[in-house]
Amino acid sequence: MAEIVQQRIEDRIPELEQLERVGLFTKKEVKSVVKRVTALEYKLHRLIVNKEDFIAYIQYEINVLELIKKRRAHIHYKFKREEIEFPIIHRIHGIFRRATKKWKDDVQLWLSHVAFCKKWQGVLTLWIMAAKSELEDQDSSESARHLFLRALRFHPNNKKVYQEYFRMELLHAEKLRKQKAELEKAEIDLGEYEFSPAILSGRLADVVYKDATGKIKEAEFVISLLNIAAIFDFTKELQDSILQDLQTNYAADSLMWDFMARRELEAPGLGEEHHSAKARALDINRREERCCQLYEEGLRVISTEPMWSRYLDFCLERLKRKTNVQELKEKRQERLLGVLQRAHDASLLMEDYYKSWLQILLSSGDAEGAASVAMAATERYHKSVTTWSLSLQTLVQLGSGDPARLFQEALTHVNPKESLPLWQLQLQWSTANQTPEDTEAIFKVASKSFIIMMKDSYLNWSYTTGGYKKARKTFKRYLQENRPLSKSFFTRMVEIEKEQEAPKMNHLREYYERALQEFGTSDDDLWLQYIQEELSTLGQPENCGKIHWRAMKFLEGESVERFVSKYTLLQTGHA
């Protein structure tokens, strides 16, 4: 029993690791889950089991699902569902199946399972689950087939139903083949048994395949059926037929060419054993070359962005694979750079690939090539802030071109509302390479478009370069300009004042009063900070009552309650 429980806990490790890795659960919470499910598993594996133990386990797993759902919404994380939720849902179905098999007459248990399916996976799961149960538990392929056909009547174009139906027919054929082989091995006369050659060869699965692909005309779906067929060792003829359909019907789909090309990596070799790393590398290179030949053939048929992108993804993946053979590494890089150049020349290189291109050129020390690609990228995607930022960083790093002119050119092309990263990059460059007067001129222009962000940065820069007097001058000038202003703009000025050898309380009051004009109706913390300032050695405690009265008058909604609570804590010395 302990071994079974341990195995079930180990099976959960991938999903638990994902939960912690993506920040949905803490390490402590993961440990708590392991401890709890271990106890629940042991209860389910006792000699005498209770229905309540099954229900408790199911409820715990559902609670985990609900918590994951809330955490996802809180941190806005939408990925890795197949690695996290799907295993949990599958496990809950398994526990339900075990429970309903043991307590067949418990209607409430069946209804609970139905309710779970409706909420977490939909009614389709019930059809598939029922069909699987007929095949696996009742040994009735006919009933399973009937259920799949009924499901397709209600959901005629559902990929999942077709995939599971196709898999079921192959599983049934495999089961019959094994039975026949066992009978033959025992030298038992097969006359009494019915083993249809058509069923044994997977002909019924072929019927399902033809029906499915007649309704769902997608290369990805055909490939999914081919992958299912490939699991079974008696389906070579069926696989060949599917491959032929894929090549004939989807020659204009880049996914088909990508699939066919990648198959060459797994194609059988010449049978020789490679005793040296160099020999193995040569064999790998030959396989990769065969892949590339198919990608090239695909490009002759459909020279499109998706086709080039799939080719490039393959080349990038191969380059990232570790190898100690320098020749193979160089060959992979040479191949990738060639495809990148050709895709660019065809004006079909997607934006993201320019970053990879630049990284490779920079890491290999090709400064001239990197500068050329950086400029080419901005010509191809001249409205993209991302591309301009990447290219300008590269050109500045290489000391190529005239940065001041390039920044101005970039800002004329991109949408002004999206240009903040370029202004920030230009200010960073200007601070390091130009005079303070030049940098200040950039700040003044930038702050007209990005008032809040740039005013904060300008204030900090003024203090760093010109000290307190310049910071206060910048602060006062901006107060006279158009809003909005950020809270941090005021609180930073408070900090600057307090950093002086002899900070002036009347200046601090000015900054707080100005800030409260902007945020006094909602920011309870600002009022409390003002009160604490008056309670300090610089302030006058007798002013606190007046500030408190004003806060209660100006604050609105929930901020009033928060202020009262925090002020009470402050008075009792707990703030």
Side-chain angles (χ1 to χ4, degrees), residues 135-367:
L135 183 69
E136 296 169 7
D137 301 332
Q138 307 301 323
D139 196 23
S140 175
S141 60
E142 188 176 343
S143 295
R145 193 174 297 118
H146 179 66
L147 283 166
F148 274 120
L149 289 171
R150 285 184 65 193
L152 287 169
R153 215 173 299 145
F154 292 104
H155 308 278
N157 297 306
N158 187 272
K159 297 175 191 175
K160 184 66 176 174
V161 174
Y162 268 120
Q163 288 163 344
E164 294 303 327
Y165 186 11
F166 183 68
R167 191 194 309 273
M168 184 277 291
E169 292 293 5
L170 290 171
L171 282 167
H172 178 52
E174 182 182 56
K175 187 175 183 180
L176 291 178
R177 290 171 70 89
K178 286 180 179 177
Q179 288 177 356
K180 182 173 181 289
E182 287 171 2
L183 291 171
E184 288 174 342
K185 187 177 180 181
E187 298 182 350
I188 296 174
D189 184 10
L190 300 180
E192 305 176 17
Y193 301 92
E194 291 184 12
F195 291 107
S196 165
I199 294 176
L200 291 173
S201 65
R203 194 72 55 81
L204 289 178
D206 187 40
V207 171
V208 176
Y209 165 76
K210 285 184 168 59
D211 184 40
T213 54
K215 292 176 180 174
I216 304 170
K217 300 180 184 298
E218 296 175 9
E220 184 177 14
F221 179 61
V222 176
I223 291 169
S224 74
L225 297 179
L226 177 58
N227 288 333
I228 292 171
I231 298 170
F232 302 87
D233 58 10
F234 61 90
T235 61
K236 185 180 184 308
E237 188 177 332
L238 177 58
Q239 289 183 60
D240 290 343
S241 174
I242 296 174
L243 274 171
Q244 185 60 49
D245 286 350
L246 186 64
Q247 291 172 283
T248 302
N249 299 327
Y250 298 97
D253 192 320
S254 62
L255 179 60
M256 186 279 289
W257 291 103
D258 186 56
F259 176 76
M260 296 302 297
R262 288 173 183 272
R263 275 172 62 88
E264 292 299 318
L265 288 174
E266 307 303 327
L270 300 175
E272 72 275 17
E273 290 188 13
H274 304 297
H275 297 288
S276 69
K278 189 171 183 179
R280 286 195 298 273
L282 284 171
D283 180 59
I284 292 169
N285 185 57
R286 281 196 295 269
R287 291 171 185 269
E288 291 177 1
E289 287 292 350
R290 290 201 296 269
C291 295
C292 292
Q293 287 169 13
L294 276 165
Y295 280 115
E296 293 290 347
E297 187 179 340
L299 285 170
R300 286 192 287 273
V301 178
I302 46 165
S303 181
T304 60
E305 267 192 1
M307 188 68 233
W308 282 104
S309 296
R310 293 191 187 277
Y311 193 179
L312 285 165
D313 286 341
F314 170 78
C315 293
L316 280 163
E317 288 169 23
R318 301 312 295 178
L319 180 63
K320 289 175 183 177
R321 291 183 71 87
K322 291 182 179 179
T323 177
N324 294 324
V325 180
Q326 187 63 24
E327 290 177 30
L328 178 59
K329 186 176 181 180
E330 289 173 359
K331 182 64 179 175
R332 285 170 170 170
Q333 181 166 306
E334 179 187 348
R335 185 186 296 135
L336 172 59
L337 289 173
V339 178
L340 284 164
Q341 185 64 59
R342 289 167 55 210
H344 169 74
D345 292 342
S347 297
L348 293 170
L349 182 61
M350 294 183 70
E351 185 177 3
D352 290 346
Y353 294 103
Y354 282 98
K355 182 177 181 179
S356 300
W357 197 357
L358 284 170
Q359 286 173 340
I360 293 167
L361 292 172
L362 289 170
S363 63
S364 60
D366 186 357

Side-chain angles (χ1 to χ4, degrees), residues 12 14-19 21-22 24 64-91 119-121:
R12 303 177 73 113
E15 76 202 50
L16 292 171
E17 288 178 342
Q18 286 286 7
L19 280 167
R21 189 178 299 119
V22 303
L24 290 170
V64 171
L65 275 177
E66 293 285 1
L67 181 57
I68 292 170
K69 184 179 178 181
K70 289 179 181 177
R71 295 275 175 87
R72 281 186 178 281
H74 182 66
I75 66 173
H76 306 291
Y77 185 79
K78 301 177 181 179
F79 310 104
K80 300 287 183 183
R81 294 189 188 278
E82 289 187 9
E83 291 92 335
I84 297 172
E85 279 94 334
F86 284 15
I88 301 173
I89 291 169
H90 179 72
R91 191 161 49 248
K119 180 170 183 180
W120 289 99
Q121 275 193 317

Side-chain angles (χ1 to χ4, degrees), residues 89-105:
I89 291 169
H90 179 72
R91 191 161 49 248
I92 293 171
H93 284 311
I95 301 169
F96 265 122
R97 280 197 296 271
R98 288 165 63 190
T100 51
K101 189 175 181 181
K102 190 168 183 62
W103 293 281
K104 294 184 177 68
D105 299 327

